[in-house]
Protein backbone atom coordinates (compact mmCIF):
# COMPACT_ATOMS: atom_id res chain seq x y z
CA UNK A 1 0.00 0.00 0.00
CA UNK A 2 1.50 3.38 -1.00
CA UNK A 3 2.20 5.72 1.87
CA UNK A 4 0.62 9.20 1.73
CA UNK A 5 1.13 12.22 4.03
CA UNK A 6 -2.09 11.39 5.91
CA UNK A 7 -1.66 7.65 6.20
CA UNK A 8 -1.13 5.73 9.44
CA UNK A 9 2.20 3.88 9.34
CA UNK A 10 1.89 0.44 10.98
CA UNK A 11 4.42 -2.28 11.66
CA UNK A 12 2.56 -5.58 12.01
CA UNK A 13 4.47 -8.41 13.71
CA UNK A 14 2.50 -11.66 13.23
CA UNK A 15 3.55 -15.17 12.25
CA UNK A 16 0.12 -16.39 11.18
CA UNK A 17 -0.64 -15.61 7.54
CA UNK A 18 -4.41 -15.61 8.12
CA UNK A 19 -4.06 -13.04 10.90
CA UNK A 20 -2.01 -10.79 8.63
CA UNK A 21 -4.58 -11.09 5.83
CA UNK A 22 -7.50 -10.33 8.17
CA UNK A 23 -5.58 -7.34 9.50
CA UNK A 24 -5.20 -5.85 6.02
CA UNK A 25 -8.81 -6.59 5.10
CA UNK A 26 -10.02 -4.82 8.25
CA UNK A 27 -8.18 -1.64 7.28
CA UNK A 28 -9.38 -1.82 3.68
CA UNK A 29 -12.94 -2.12 4.98
CA UNK A 30 -12.46 0.84 7.34
CA UNK A 31 -11.31 3.16 4.59
CA UNK A 32 -8.61 4.60 6.83
CA UNK A 33 -5.45 5.34 4.89
CA UNK A 34 -2.51 3.33 6.15
CA UNK A 35 0.84 1.84 5.18
CA UNK A 36 1.33 -1.65 6.64
CA UNK A 37 4.75 -3.22 6.91
CA UNK A 38 4.84 -6.90 7.92
CA UNK A 39 7.31 -8.91 9.98
CA UNK A 40 6.76 -12.58 10.72
CA UNK A 41 9.43 -13.04 13.41
CA UNK A 42 10.37 -11.18 16.57
CA UNK A 43 14.06 -10.89 15.64
CA UNK A 44 13.16 -9.45 12.25
CA UNK A 45 11.05 -6.74 13.90
CA UNK A 46 13.84 -5.90 16.36
CA UNK A 47 16.27 -5.39 13.50
CA UNK A 48 13.83 -3.21 11.56
CA UNK A 49 12.86 -1.08 14.55
CA UNK A 50 16.50 -0.71 15.46
CA UNK A 51 17.07 1.37 12.32
CA UNK A 52 13.56 2.47 11.26
CA UNK A 53 11.63 3.15 14.49
CA UNK A 54 10.79 6.69 13.37
CA UNK A 55 9.18 5.26 10.22
CA UNK A 56 6.21 3.88 12.18
CA UNK A 57 3.36 5.44 14.11
CA UNK A 58 2.30 2.25 15.89
CA UNK A 59 3.58 -1.33 16.26
CA UNK A 60 1.04 -4.17 16.47
CA UNK A 61 2.44 -7.42 17.88
CA UNK A 62 0.72 -10.80 17.97
CA UNK A 63 1.49 -12.75 21.14
CA UNK A 64 1.83 -16.06 19.30
CA UNK A 65 5.30 -15.77 17.77
CA UNK A 66 7.99 -18.41 17.28
CA UNK A 67 11.12 -18.10 19.37
CA UNK A 68 9.96 -15.13 21.44
CA UNK A 69 6.41 -14.44 22.64
CA UNK A 70 4.72 -11.18 21.72
CA UNK A 71 4.68 -10.18 25.39
CA UNK A 72 8.44 -10.69 25.72
CA UNK A 73 9.01 -8.77 22.49
CA UNK A 74 7.00 -5.87 23.92
CA UNK A 75 9.05 -5.94 27.11
CA UNK A 76 12.27 -5.98 25.08
CA UNK A 77 11.18 -2.95 23.05
CA UNK A 78 10.06 -1.08 26.16
CA UNK A 79 13.39 -1.81 27.84
CA UNK A 80 15.12 -0.30 24.81
CA UNK A 81 12.99 2.89 25.21
CA UNK A 82 11.37 2.40 21.82
CA UNK A 83 9.42 5.63 21.20
CA UNK A 84 6.56 4.01 19.31
CA UNK A 85 3.22 2.94 20.88
CA UNK A 86 2.83 -0.84 21.14
CA UNK A 87 -0.46 -2.74 20.79
CA UNK A 88 -0.51 -6.45 21.71
CA UNK A 89 -2.95 -8.94 20.20
CA UNK A 90 -3.80 -12.00 22.32
CA UNK A 91 -6.18 -14.92 21.95
CA UNK A 92 -9.39 -15.17 23.98
CA UNK A 93 -8.46 -16.88 27.23
CA UNK A 94 -5.09 -15.06 27.45
CA UNK A 95 -6.44 -11.93 29.15
CA UNK A 96 -3.83 -12.25 31.90
CA UNK A 97 -1.15 -11.76 29.25
CA UNK A 98 -2.89 -8.54 28.18
CA UNK A 99 -2.99 -7.31 31.77
CA UNK A 100 0.71 -8.07 32.23
CA UNK A 101 1.45 -6.21 29.01
CA UNK A 102 -0.44 -3.13 30.17
CA UNK A 103 1.39 -3.20 33.48
CA UNK A 104 4.69 -3.40 31.60
CA UNK A 105 3.85 -0.25 29.63
CA UNK A 106 2.18 -1.48 26.43
CA UNK A 107 -0.16 1.21 25.14
CA UNK A 108 -3.18 -0.99 24.36
CA UNK A 109 -4.33 -4.53 23.54
CA UNK A 110 -6.77 -6.38 21.29
CA UNK A 111 -8.52 -9.63 22.26
CA UNK A 112 -8.86 -11.91 19.22
CA UNK A 113 -12.35 -13.21 19.92
CA UNK A 114 -13.69 -16.20 17.90
CA UNK A 115 -16.26 -13.99 16.15
CA UNK A 116 -13.47 -11.62 15.06
CA UNK A 117 -15.27 -8.62 16.53
CA UNK A 118 -11.85 -7.17 17.38
CA UNK A 119 -11.36 -6.45 13.67
CA UNK A 120 -14.20 -3.90 13.82
CA UNK A 121 -12.32 -1.95 16.50
CA UNK A 122 -8.88 -2.38 14.96
CA UNK A 123 -8.58 0.82 12.93
CA UNK A 124 -9.94 3.11 15.65
CA UNK A 125 -7.81 1.48 18.34
CA UNK A 126 -4.57 1.94 16.38
CA UNK A 127 -5.41 5.45 15.22
CA UNK A 128 -6.18 6.46 18.79
CA UNK A 129 -2.99 4.80 20.07
CA UNK A 130 -0.86 6.68 17.55
CA UNK A 131 -2.61 10.01 18.07
CA UNK A 132 -2.65 9.94 21.87
CA UNK A 133 1.02 9.00 21.80
CA UNK A 134 1.70 12.10 19.76
CA UNK A 135 3.15 10.31 16.78
CA UNK A 136 0.46 10.37 14.13
CA UNK A 137 1.33 12.41 11.08
CA UNK A 138 -0.39 15.77 11.45
CA UNK A 139 -3.91 14.95 12.69
CA UNK A 140 -5.50 16.98 9.93
CA UNK A 141 -9.19 17.76 9.81
CA UNK A 142 -9.58 15.08 7.15
CA UNK A 143 -8.04 12.40 9.38
CA UNK A 144 -10.14 13.46 12.36
CA UNK A 145 -13.29 13.58 10.24
CA UNK A 146 -12.63 10.13 8.80
CA UNK A 147 -11.87 8.74 12.23
CA UNK A 148 -15.13 10.13 13.57
CA UNK A 149 -17.06 8.62 10.66
CA UNK A 150 -15.31 5.29 11.15
CA UNK A 151 -16.08 5.28 14.86
CA UNK A 152 -19.76 6.01 14.19
CA UNK A 153 -19.92 3.21 11.61
CA UNK A 154 -18.38 0.75 14.06
CA UNK A 155 -20.54 2.02 16.92
CA UNK A 156 -23.74 1.48 14.94
CA UNK A 157 -22.92 -1.80 13.21
CA UNK A 158 -20.61 -3.92 15.36
CA UNK A 159 -22.05 -6.93 17.22
CA UNK A 160 -19.90 -5.98 20.22
CA UNK A 161 -21.59 -3.91 22.91
CA UNK A 162 -20.01 -0.50 23.58
CA UNK A 163 -20.83 1.77 26.52
CA UNK A 164 -19.91 4.80 28.61
CA UNK A 165 -21.16 4.76 32.20
CA UNK A 166 -20.48 7.08 35.14
CA UNK A 167 -19.23 5.95 38.57
CA UNK A 168 -22.70 6.84 39.90
CA UNK A 169 -24.26 4.27 37.61
CA UNK A 170 -25.69 6.49 34.88
CA UNK A 171 -25.52 5.11 31.32
CA UNK A 172 -24.47 8.01 29.13
CA UNK A 173 -23.79 6.07 25.94
CA UNK A 174 -24.61 2.60 24.57
CA UNK A 175 -24.55 1.34 21.00
CA UNK A 176 -27.45 -0.52 19.33
CA UNK A 177 -25.81 -3.91 19.92
CA UNK A 178 -25.75 -3.37 23.69
CA UNK A 179 -29.31 -2.00 23.72
CA UNK A 180 -30.53 -5.14 21.94
CA UNK A 181 -28.31 -7.39 24.06
CA UNK A 182 -30.01 -6.10 27.25
CA UNK A 183 -33.52 -6.45 25.79
CA UNK A 184 -34.43 -2.77 25.34
CA UNK A 185 -35.99 -1.18 22.28
CA UNK A 186 -34.05 2.09 22.44
CA UNK A 187 -31.15 3.79 24.20
CA UNK A 188 -33.61 6.17 25.84
CA UNK A 189 -35.22 3.21 27.62
CA UNK A 190 -31.88 1.75 28.63
CA UNK A 191 -30.58 5.10 29.92
CA UNK A 192 -33.32 5.09 32.60
CA UNK A 193 -31.57 2.16 34.23
CA UNK A 194 -29.25 2.98 37.14
CA UNK A 195 -26.43 0.48 37.46
CA UNK A 196 -25.95 1.30 41.14
CA UNK A 197 -29.43 -0.11 41.80
CA UNK A 198 -29.80 -2.87 39.21
CA UNK A 199 -28.07 -4.68 36.42
CA UNK A 200 -25.46 -6.83 38.17
CA UNK A 201 -26.24 -10.18 39.75
CA UNK A 202 -25.08 -10.66 43.41
CA UNK A 203 -21.94 -12.73 42.67
CA UNK A 204 -20.69 -9.85 40.48
CA UNK A 205 -21.29 -6.61 42.46
CA UNK A 206 -20.71 -3.28 40.74
CA UNK A 207 -18.80 -2.10 43.80
CA UNK A 208 -16.06 -4.65 43.01
CA UNK A 209 -15.94 -3.41 39.41
CA UNK A 210 -15.56 0.22 40.56
CA UNK A 211 -12.84 -0.65 43.07
CA UNK A 212 -10.81 -2.41 40.41
CA UNK A 213 -11.26 0.44 37.94
CA UNK A 214 -10.13 2.99 40.55
CA UNK A 215 -7.10 0.86 41.41
CA UNK A 216 -6.07 -0.52 38.00
CA UNK A 217 -7.65 1.90 35.48
CA UNK A 218 -8.38 -1.03 33.16
CA UNK A 219 -10.15 -4.35 33.29
CA UNK A 220 -9.47 -7.05 30.72
CA UNK A 221 -11.59 -10.17 30.16
CA UNK A 222 -13.90 -9.78 33.17
CA UNK A 223 -16.65 -12.40 33.11
CA UNK A 224 -19.84 -10.93 34.58
CA UNK A 225 -23.50 -11.74 34.87
CA UNK A 226 -25.88 -8.94 33.96
CA UNK A 227 -29.66 -8.79 34.07
CA UNK A 228 -31.71 -8.21 30.95
CA UNK A 229 -34.82 -6.09 30.98
CA UNK A 230 -36.99 -9.22 31.36
CA UNK A 231 -34.98 -10.43 34.38
CA UNK A 232 -33.10 -13.20 32.56
CA UNK A 233 -29.34 -13.53 32.94
CA UNK A 234 -26.81 -12.35 30.37
CA UNK A 235 -23.25 -13.68 30.72
CA UNK A 236 -20.65 -11.34 29.23
CA UNK A 237 -16.94 -10.82 28.79
CA UNK A 238 -16.16 -7.18 29.56
CA UNK A 239 -13.16 -4.98 28.81
CA UNK A 240 -13.17 -1.46 30.25
CA UNK A 241 -10.96 1.53 30.97
CA UNK A 242 -11.30 4.76 32.93
CA UNK A 243 -11.52 8.21 31.36
CA UNK A 244 -10.33 10.88 33.80
CA UNK A 245 -10.17 14.67 33.85
CA UNK A 246 -6.91 16.57 34.25
CA UNK A 247 -7.20 16.37 38.01
CA UNK A 248 -7.38 12.56 37.88
CA UNK A 249 -11.08 12.30 38.71
CA UNK A 250 -12.95 9.53 36.86
CA UNK A 251 -15.40 11.05 34.39
CA UNK A 252 -16.76 7.77 33.06
CA UNK A 253 -15.94 4.16 32.20
CA UNK A 254 -15.52 3.21 28.55
CA UNK A 255 -16.08 -0.45 27.83
CA UNK A 256 -16.88 -3.21 25.37
CA UNK A 257 -19.05 -6.26 26.03
CA UNK A 258 -19.33 -9.63 24.29
CA UNK A 259 -22.34 -11.86 24.96
CA UNK A 260 -21.08 -15.36 25.83
CA UNK A 261 -24.35 -16.69 27.29
CA UNK A 262 -24.83 -19.36 24.63
CA UNK A 263 -21.18 -20.35 24.79
CA UNK A 264 -21.40 -20.82 28.56
CA UNK A 265 -24.55 -22.92 28.16
CA UNK A 266 -22.79 -25.08 25.59
CA UNK A 267 -19.79 -25.44 27.90
CA UNK A 268 -22.09 -26.48 30.74
CA UNK A 269 -23.78 -29.10 28.55
CA UNK A 270 -20.34 -30.43 27.57
CA UNK A 271 -19.23 -30.50 31.21
CA UNK A 272 -22.34 -32.43 32.23
CA UNK A 273 -21.87 -34.83 29.33
CA UNK A 274 -18.22 -35.35 30.23
CA UNK A 275 -19.14 -35.89 33.89
CA UNK A 276 -21.70 -38.54 32.92
CA UNK A 277 -19.14 -40.21 30.67
CA UNK A 278 -16.44 -40.17 33.34
CA UNK A 279 -18.88 -41.44 35.96
CA UNK A 280 -19.93 -44.24 33.62
CA UNK A 281 -16.29 -45.19 32.96
CA UNK A 282 -15.43 -44.98 36.64
CA UNK A 283 -18.27 -47.37 37.52
CA UNK A 284 -17.31 -50.00 34.94
CA UNK A 285 -15.35 -52.75 36.75
CA UNK A 286 -12.53 -52.63 34.24
CA UNK A 287 -10.03 -50.34 32.53
CA UNK A 288 -11.65 -48.27 29.76
CA UNK A 289 -9.33 -46.93 27.07
CA UNK A 290 -8.88 -45.45 23.63
CA UNK A 291 -5.58 -46.51 22.07
CA UNK A 292 -3.59 -45.80 18.94
CA UNK A 293 -1.94 -48.27 16.62
CA UNK A 294 1.29 -48.11 18.66
CA UNK A 295 -0.62 -49.02 21.86
CA UNK A 296 -0.21 -45.53 23.36
CA UNK A 297 -3.46 -44.14 24.75
CA UNK A 298 -5.55 -41.01 24.29
CA UNK A 299 -7.79 -41.91 27.22
CA UNK A 300 -7.64 -44.44 30.05
CA UNK A 301 -9.53 -44.88 33.32
CA UNK A 302 -9.34 -47.25 36.31
CA UNK A 303 -5.82 -48.27 35.29
CA UNK A 304 -4.19 -48.01 38.69
CA UNK A 305 -6.30 -50.72 40.33
CA UNK A 306 -5.58 -53.06 37.43
CA UNK A 307 -1.90 -52.58 36.70
CA UNK A 308 -0.56 -50.15 39.32
CA UNK A 309 0.03 -47.30 36.86
CA UNK A 310 -2.03 -44.08 37.03
CA UNK A 311 -3.68 -42.50 33.98
CA UNK A 312 -1.03 -39.75 33.91
CA UNK A 313 1.68 -42.39 33.55
CA UNK A 314 0.10 -43.38 30.24
CA UNK A 315 -0.61 -39.81 29.09
CA UNK A 316 2.97 -38.77 29.76
CA UNK A 317 4.17 -41.92 27.95
CA UNK A 318 6.08 -43.15 30.98
CA UNK A 319 4.59 -46.56 30.30
CA UNK A 320 3.04 -48.33 27.31
CA UNK A 321 0.40 -51.05 27.74
CA UNK A 322 2.19 -53.34 25.29
CA UNK A 323 5.28 -53.27 27.52
CA UNK A 324 3.23 -54.90 30.27
CA UNK A 325 2.05 -57.83 28.18
CA UNK A 326 3.74 -61.06 29.28
CA UNK A 327 6.62 -61.98 26.91
CA UNK A 328 5.12 -65.43 26.27
CA UNK A 329 1.82 -63.84 25.14
CA UNK A 330 3.08 -60.78 23.25
CA UNK A 331 3.67 -62.40 19.86
CA UNK A 332 0.22 -63.99 19.79
CA UNK A 333 -1.47 -60.74 20.88
CA UNK A 334 0.27 -58.68 18.19
CA UNK A 335 -0.53 -61.21 15.47
CA UNK A 336 -4.21 -61.42 16.44
CA UNK A 337 -4.57 -57.64 16.78
CA UNK A 338 -2.86 -56.69 13.52
CA UNK A 339 -6.12 -56.82 11.61
CA UNK A 340 -7.66 -54.16 13.86
CA UNK A 341 -5.53 -51.47 12.23
CA UNK A 342 -6.55 -52.62 8.75
CA UNK A 343 -10.33 -52.60 9.08
CA UNK A 344 -13.08 -51.95 11.60
CA UNK A 345 -13.38 -55.10 13.67
CA UNK A 346 -14.02 -56.35 17.20
CA UNK A 347 -11.80 -58.74 19.09
CA UNK A 348 -11.60 -60.39 22.51
CA UNK A 349 -8.17 -61.44 23.73
CA UNK A 350 -7.00 -63.19 26.88
CA UNK A 351 -3.42 -62.71 27.98
CA UNK A 352 -1.21 -62.02 30.95
CA UNK A 353 0.23 -58.71 32.08
CA UNK A 354 3.04 -57.92 34.49
CA UNK A 355 1.94 -55.10 36.83
CA UNK A 356 4.00 -52.28 38.29
CA UNK A 357 4.60 -54.37 41.42
CA UNK A 358 5.77 -57.35 39.33
CA UNK A 359 2.61 -59.43 39.89
CA UNK A 360 1.25 -61.47 36.99
CA UNK A 361 -2.44 -61.01 36.19
CA UNK A 362 -4.71 -62.51 33.58
CA UNK A 363 -6.87 -60.03 31.64
CA UNK A 364 -9.65 -60.21 29.08
CA UNK A 365 -9.40 -57.38 26.56
CA UNK A 366 -12.55 -56.46 24.58
CA UNK A 367 -11.59 -54.07 21.78
CA UNK A 368 -13.05 -52.51 18.62
CA UNK A 369 -11.28 -50.40 16.01
CA UNK A 370 -12.95 -47.45 14.25
CA UNK A 371 -12.06 -45.54 11.09
CA UNK A 372 -13.07 -42.17 9.63
CA UNK A 373 -14.57 -41.46 6.21
CA UNK A 374 -11.09 -41.42 4.68
CA UNK A 375 -10.34 -44.90 6.05
CA UNK A 376 -7.84 -43.56 8.57
CA UNK A 377 -7.71 -45.21 11.97
CA UNK A 378 -9.51 -43.08 14.57
CA UNK A 379 -8.63 -45.33 17.47
CA UNK A 380 -9.11 -48.65 19.19
CA UNK A 381 -11.67 -48.50 21.99
CA UNK A 382 -11.77 -51.20 24.61
CA UNK A 383 -12.37 -52.43 28.13
CA UNK A 384 -9.93 -54.65 29.99
CA UNK A 385 -11.22 -56.88 32.80
CA UNK A 386 -9.07 -58.83 35.22
CA UNK A 387 -9.87 -62.56 35.01
CA UNK A 388 -7.07 -63.95 37.20
CA UNK A 389 -9.43 -65.68 39.63
CA UNK A 390 -11.44 -67.18 36.79
CA UNK A 391 -8.29 -68.49 35.15
CA UNK A 392 -7.19 -69.96 38.50
CA UNK A 393 -10.58 -71.66 38.85
CA UNK A 394 -10.38 -72.99 35.29
CA UNK A 395 -6.88 -74.28 35.98
CA UNK A 396 -7.97 -75.90 39.23
CA UNK A 397 -10.91 -77.59 37.46
CA UNK A 398 -8.66 -78.89 34.68
CA UNK A 399 -6.16 -80.22 37.20
CA UNK A 400 -8.99 -81.94 39.14
CA UNK A 401 -10.34 -83.53 35.97
CA UNK A 402 -6.85 -84.60 34.98
CA UNK A 403 -6.27 -86.25 38.36
CA UNK A 404 -9.62 -88.05 38.05
CA UNK A 405 -8.77 -89.25 34.54
CA UNK A 406 -5.41 -90.56 35.65
CA UNK A 407 -6.99 -92.31 38.66
CA UNK A 408 -9.69 -93.93 36.54
CA UNK A 409 -7.23 -95.05 33.87
CA UNK A 410 -4.91 -96.65 36.41
CA UNK A 411 -7.62 -98.35 38.50
CA UNK A 412 -8.19 -102.14 38.19
CA UNK A 413 -11.83 -101.71 39.09
CA UNK A 414 -14.39 -100.50 36.63
CA UNK A 415 -15.46 -96.80 36.91
CA UNK A 416 -18.15 -94.97 35.00
CA UNK A 417 -19.58 -91.42 34.98
CA UNK A 418 -23.25 -90.78 34.16
CA UNK A 419 -25.24 -87.55 33.76
CA UNK A 420 -28.58 -86.85 35.43
CA UNK A 421 -30.44 -88.65 32.62
CA UNK A 422 -28.28 -91.75 32.96
CA UNK A 423 -26.32 -91.12 29.82
CA UNK A 424 -22.81 -92.53 29.98
CA UNK A 425 -20.20 -89.73 30.02
CA UNK A 426 -16.99 -91.63 30.69
CA UNK A 427 -15.77 -95.15 31.41
CA UNK A 428 -12.28 -96.27 32.31
CA UNK A 429 -10.29 -98.89 30.41
CA UNK A 430 -11.32 -101.70 32.80
CA UNK A 431 -14.98 -101.20 31.89
CA UNK A 432 -14.16 -101.01 28.22
CA UNK A 433 -12.33 -104.30 28.47
CA UNK A 434 -15.40 -105.87 30.06
CA UNK A 435 -17.50 -104.79 27.11
CA UNK A 436 -15.55 -105.13 23.89
CA UNK A 437 -16.83 -103.43 20.69
CA UNK A 438 -20.09 -104.93 19.47
CA UNK A 439 -21.24 -105.91 22.97
CA UNK A 440 -24.85 -104.96 23.77
Amino acid sequence: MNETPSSLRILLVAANQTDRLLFRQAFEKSGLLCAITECTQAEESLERLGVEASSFDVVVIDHDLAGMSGLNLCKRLLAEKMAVPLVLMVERGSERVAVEALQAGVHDYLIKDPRRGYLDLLAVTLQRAARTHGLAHGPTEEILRREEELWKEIFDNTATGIYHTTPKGRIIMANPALVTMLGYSSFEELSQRNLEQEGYEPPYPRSEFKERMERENKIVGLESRWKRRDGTTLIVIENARTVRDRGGKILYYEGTVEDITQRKKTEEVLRESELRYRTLCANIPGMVYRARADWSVDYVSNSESLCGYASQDFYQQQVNWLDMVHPEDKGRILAEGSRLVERSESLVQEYRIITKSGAVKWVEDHKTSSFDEESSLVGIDGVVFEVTERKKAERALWESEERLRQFMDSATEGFTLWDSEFNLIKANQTVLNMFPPGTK
Side-chain angles (χ1 to χ4, degrees):
M1 184 179 294
N2 294 327
E3 188 177 333
T4 70
S6 60
S7 65
L8 183 66
R9 302 171 304 172
I10 303 167
L11 177 62
L12 172 62
V13 187
N16 186 281
Q17 184 177 3
T18 300
D19 285 342
R20 299 197 303 272
L21 178 61
L22 290 172
F23 189 96
R24 286 187 175 275
Q25 290 175 344
F27 267 95
E28 290 174 2
K29 179 181 177 182
S30 73
L32 186 67
L33 295 176
C34 66
I36 302 173
T37 301
E38 296 181 1
C39 290
T40 59
Q41 297 180 348
E43 291 298 332
E44 179 188 358
S45 67
L46 286 169
E47 292 177 6
R48 184 178 288 272
L49 287 169
V51 295
E52 301 180 46
S54 60
S55 300
F56 303 105
D57 299 317
V58 62
V59 179
V60 184
I61 301 172
D62 186 52
H63 181 58
D64 189 13
L65 296 174
M68 180 187 301
S69 71
L71 175 60
N72 287 335
L73 175 58
C74 288
K75 290 180 177 179
R76 173 93 171 262
L77 292 171
L78 290 166
E80 295 178 0
K81 308 297 183 183
M82 193 67 61
V84 184
L86 307 177
V87 177
L88 182 66
M89 297 193 300
V90 300
E91 296 287 347
R92 166 59 46 77
S94 300
E95 286 81 0
R96 289 184 179 180
V97 174
V99 171
E100 186 177 346
L102 292 173
Q103 293 171 342
V106 169
H107 190 86
D108 212 335
Y109 62 89
L110 287 164
I111 305 293
K112 297 194 292 183
D113 58 288
R115 297 181 181 180
R116 297 176 177 170
Y118 75 99
L119 295 172
D120 294 334
L121 304 174
L122 185 61
V124 169
T125 299
L126 300 192
Q127 178 75 356
R128 179 170 57 188
R131 185 154 55 84
T132 57
H133 205 268
L135 293 175
H137 286 311
T140 62
E141 290 184 6
E142 173 61 23
I143 291 179
L144 295 176
R145 182 190 65 78
R146 180 54 191 155
E147 184 179 344
E148 184 177 347
E149 290 177 354
L150 176 61
W151 173 249
K152 186 177 186 308
E153 182 180 343
I154 293 171
F155 183 85
D156 289 339
N157 298 319
T158 183
T160 301
I162 303 173
Y163 68 79
H164 288 174
T165 63
T166 69
K168 292 185 177 180
R170 189 163 65 90
I171 303 173
I172 57 178
M173 186 194 78
N175 70 334
L178 185 58
V179 171
T180 302
M181 204 180 290
L182 290 170
Y184 290 85
S185 57
S186 67
F187 170 71
E188 287 69 29
E189 283 186 345
L190 176 59
S191 64
Q192 301 303 310
R193 185 175 189 171
N194 190 310
L195 299 178
E196 290 291 285
Q197 300 171 359
E198 60 176 328
Y200 283 75
E201 290 202 348
Y204 303 85
R206 181 170 167 81
S207 58
E208 180 181 329
F209 171 84
K210 291 168 61 177
E211 288 170 5
R212 286 189 59 184
M213 292 297 285
E214 179 66 40
R215 184 174 64 251
E216 303 172 17
N217 281 322
K218 288 186 178 183
I219 284 180
V220 180
L222 175 67
E223 185 175 311
S224 306
R225 292 176 180 266
W226 292 3
K227 286 186 178 179
R228 292 189 179 95
R229 183 183 187 184
D230 61 6
T232 57
T233 299
L234 177 73
I235 307 176
V236 301
I237 288 288
E238 184 176 8
N239 301 304
R241 72 187 81 211
T242 59
V243 177
R244 299 175 183 263
D245 62 19
R246 292 184 178 179
K249 179 182 177 181
I250 296 177
L251 298 176
Y252 58 87
Y253 308 122
E254 177 185 70
T256 60
V257 177
E258 180 188 354
D259 180 5
I260 61 168
T261 307
Q262 189 56 49
R263 190 183 87 192
K264 296 297 287 187
K265 288 180 179 178
T266 301
E267 289 175 355
E268 182 62 28
V269 170
L270 289 174
R271 275 195 297 270
E272 291 177 356
S273 176
E274 183 178 356
L275 178 60
R276 287 195 298 270
Y277 175 74
R278 290 188 179 277
T279 301
L280 172 63
C281 291
N283 291 332
I284 292 175
M287 186 186 78
V288 180
Y289 68 86
R290 163 160 283 190
R292 304 169 190 166
D294 63 358
W295 290 67
S296 61
V297 299
D298 293 319
Y299 175 80
V300 63
S301 70
N302 303 335
S303 60
E304 196 161 4
S305 59
L306 179 64
C307 64
Y309 292 98
S311 299
Q312 289 301 319
D313 295 329
F314 289 95
Y315 298 149
Q316 296 170 6
Q317 297 187 349
Q318 296 177 5
V319 64
N320 185 293
W321 182 257
L322 184 61
D323 295 336
M324 285 184 283
V325 176
H326 196 286
E328 295 178 5
D329 298 337
K330 189 174 294 186
R332 171 177 59 85
I333 294 306
L334 288 172
E336 291 175 354
S338 61
R339 62 180 184 268
L340 289 175
V341 299
E342 299 172 355
R343 58 185 178 275
S344 181
E345 191 167 322
S346 295
L347 180 65
V348 179
Q349 295 178 303
E350 286 188 357
Y351 53 90
R352 290 164 292 176
I353 62 169
I354 301 174
T355 69
K356 185 176 183 180
S357 66
V360 176
K361 291 184 177 180
W362 276 95
V363 296
E364 186 175 84
D365 190 351
H366 298 248
K367 57 183 70 173
T368 301
S369 56
S370 56
F371 293 77
D372 60 21
E373 294 178 353
E374 297 178 355
S375 299
S376 297
L377 179 68
V378 174
I380 300 173
D381 301 320
V383 185
V384 180
F385 301 99
E386 182 184 356
V387 293
T388 305
E389 294 304 317
R390 192 192 77 194
K391 296 297 287 187
K392 287 181 179 179
E394 290 175 353
R395 178 67 181 180
L397 178 60
W398 179 85
E399 289 176 349
S400 175
E401 291 178 343
E402 182 63 15
R403 286 195 299 271
L404 177 60
R405 184 189 65 78
Q406 292 177 2
F407 171 75
M408 292 178 66
D409 288 347
S410 62
T412 56
E413 296 86 357
F415 284 94
T416 58
L417 288 178
W418 305 81
D419 63 18
S420 59
E421 297 180 354
F422 297 102
N423 293 310
L424 180 63
I425 299 174
K426 185 176 180 60
N428 69 348
Q429 192 61 43
T430 302
V431 174
L432 296 177
N433 291 337
M434 295 178 184
F435 301 94
T439 305
K440 294 185 180 181

